[in-house]
Amino acid sequence: MPVVPVLSSAEQILPGARFTDRFAVVVSGQRLDVGTAAERVFRHRPSWIGALMALRNLLVRPFGLKTRDEDLAPELERKGMFPVLSQSAQRMVLGLDDRHLDFRLLVELKELGDGRQEVSATTLVKPHNLLGRAYLCAVMPFHKIIVPAMLARAAKP
């Protein structure tokens, strides 16, 4: 799955973001809205991703990072474990601010014509300190595998 250029509006969505990437998949023969696309990306995640997230939570809990549902803005709608911060017809912004870093995940739709849509996932990260930068370095190899694997699920009804 290709990494494609980051949006020009990234600075508006998460000012000071130091890391950005974007993955995209083309969906054919279906008509998705952004809510359905996000739901498909996050529903029924593969067990290997669940195991990695459980390990991550175990390892970062001693550092006071958010790991439990009640830590993750329970008053907001969520897709998967991520709170929905805003939504329009073409973009859903999910994210969380924590002691070590702030992140945003954008799920976006773009009409391509001929019954095709591009579904993309853009990640923006703003580390706050050494722990945030170390965390980002540690999770990056997994991030580059997990995001495309979950994004591919948008094409599956």
Side-chain angles (χ1 to χ4, degrees):
M1 188 166 302
V3 176
V4 292
V6 175
L7 303 171
S8 60
S9 61
E11 184 63 25
Q12 295 169 343
I13 294 168
L14 185 61
R18 298 284 184 230
F19 170 82
T20 59
D21 70 1
R22 183 173 182 259
F23 296 90
V25 64
V26 174
V27 176
S28 297
Q30 302 176 55
R31 181 82 178 124
L32 299 178
D33 59 58
V34 74
T36 301
E39 185 66 34
R40 286 182 180 184
V41 168
F42 292 109
R43 77 171 175 211
H44 310 298
R45 68 181 177 207
S47 59
W48 63 271
I49 294 175
L52 283 174
M53 292 305 295
L55 177 61
R56 173 251 182 222
N57 290 344
L58 183 68
L59 294 173
V60 302
R61 189 169 293 129
F63 297 101
L65 304 184
K66 295 177 181 176
T67 60
R68 301 172 306 162
D69 282 350
E70 51 271 15
D71 296 335
L72 304 174
E75 70 282 3
L76 296 177
E77 175 190 358
R78 290 193 297 193
K79 296 293 181 186
M81 67 178 276
F82 303 119
V84 176
L85 303 178
S86 67
Q87 182 175 342
S88 69
Q90 301 300 313
R91 176 188 289 168
M92 180 178 289
V93 179
L94 305 105
L96 193 64
D97 296 342
D98 207 342
R99 290 180 28 196
H100 65 310
L101 57 77
D102 299 342
F103 82 92
R104 300 294 180 268
L105 175 62
L106 286 62
V107 176
E108 297 180 287
L109 287 179
K110 179 180 177 183
E111 296 296 330
L112 300 176
D114 298 326
R116 300 176 312 128
Q117 293 175 298
E118 177 186 83
V119 180
S120 64
T122 302
T123 305
L124 309 169
V125 181
K126 178 183 176 182
H128 295 300
N129 50 38
L130 181 60
L131 176 60
R133 290 187 297 277
Y135 177 84
L136 185 58
C137 287
V139 301
M140 193 50 50
F142 303 102
H143 170 84
K144 291 181 180 206
I145 296 168
I146 291 171
V147 174
M150 291 187 71
L151 185 60
R153 300 166 67 80
K156 298 177 183 174

